[in-house]
Amino acid sequence: QVQLVESGGGTVQPGGSLRLSCTASERSFSHYAMAWLRQAPGKERERVAAVTGSGDVTYYSDSVKGRFTISRDNAKNTLYLQMNSLNPEDTAVYYCAAKWTSSTRVLVTAPSEYKYWGQGTQVTVSS
């Protein structure tokens, strides 16, 4: 069972940047399709970005496309989310999630497919 620990959240002014990290306990990290999802108060959890185990295929929601970048370092068992041009609508608890896949080239985008979740990290965008 993989354990996920997020870090890097905080408070930033509109237009600012943050980088989230998610470290996994699993050695076979490259066989986990990964994603970042977020949940704002009173709203449903929404997918933000996803990446294959190999790291070469990514997905972004329309709301973050062009501003956020998902990446991974399989040697460090770590997933990243670089967030630029942040706005108040990005305020939410951000979660990383993992799903084991037999192929490292499988992209998983549906939140319901992810089996393992981190505890979340708060991102607040406010002036």
Side-chain angles (χ1 to χ4, degrees):
Q1 181 173 345
V2 63
Q3 294 182 334
L4 305 172
V5 179
E6 301 102 333
S7 62
T11 300
V12 64
Q13 292 186 343
S17 299
L18 281 175
R19 188 175 84 155
L20 305 182
S21 299
C22 171
T23 301
S25 61
E26 181 60 47
R27 290 183 179 181
S28 57
F29 184 61
S30 63
H31 275 275
Y32 284 85
M34 301 294 296
W36 288 99
L37 302 98
R38 67 187 182 186
Q39 187 165 21
K43 295 186 178 181
E44 293 186 356
R45 189 172 295 184
E46 65 167 330
R47 57 192 178 190
V48 173
V51 64
T52 56
S54 58
D56 58 351
V57 181
T58 57
Y59 159 87
Y60 297 96
S61 68
D62 289 341
S63 61
V64 307
K65 196 173 296 182
R67 299 187 298 122
F68 291 10
T69 302
I70 188 171
S71 62
R72 63 191 297 160
D73 185 338
N74 287 340
K76 295 182 178 179
N77 289 0
T78 303
L79 175 74
Y80 302 101
L81 184 68
Q82 177 66 44
M83 304 185 294
N84 298 329
S85 301
L86 286 161
N87 59 61
E89 290 69 39
D90 296 315
T91 295
V93 177
Y94 283 71
Y95 300 89
C96 67
K99 174 183 171 63
W100 190 88
T101 58
S102 57
S103 167
T104 61
R105 298 185 62 80
V106 174
L107 187 67
V108 179
T109 60
S112 60
E113 293 193 48
Y114 283 94
K115 182 176 181 179
Y116 305 104
W117 295 78
Q119 82 288 350
T121 185
Q122 176 70 47
V123 172
T124 302
V125 184
S126 175
S127 55

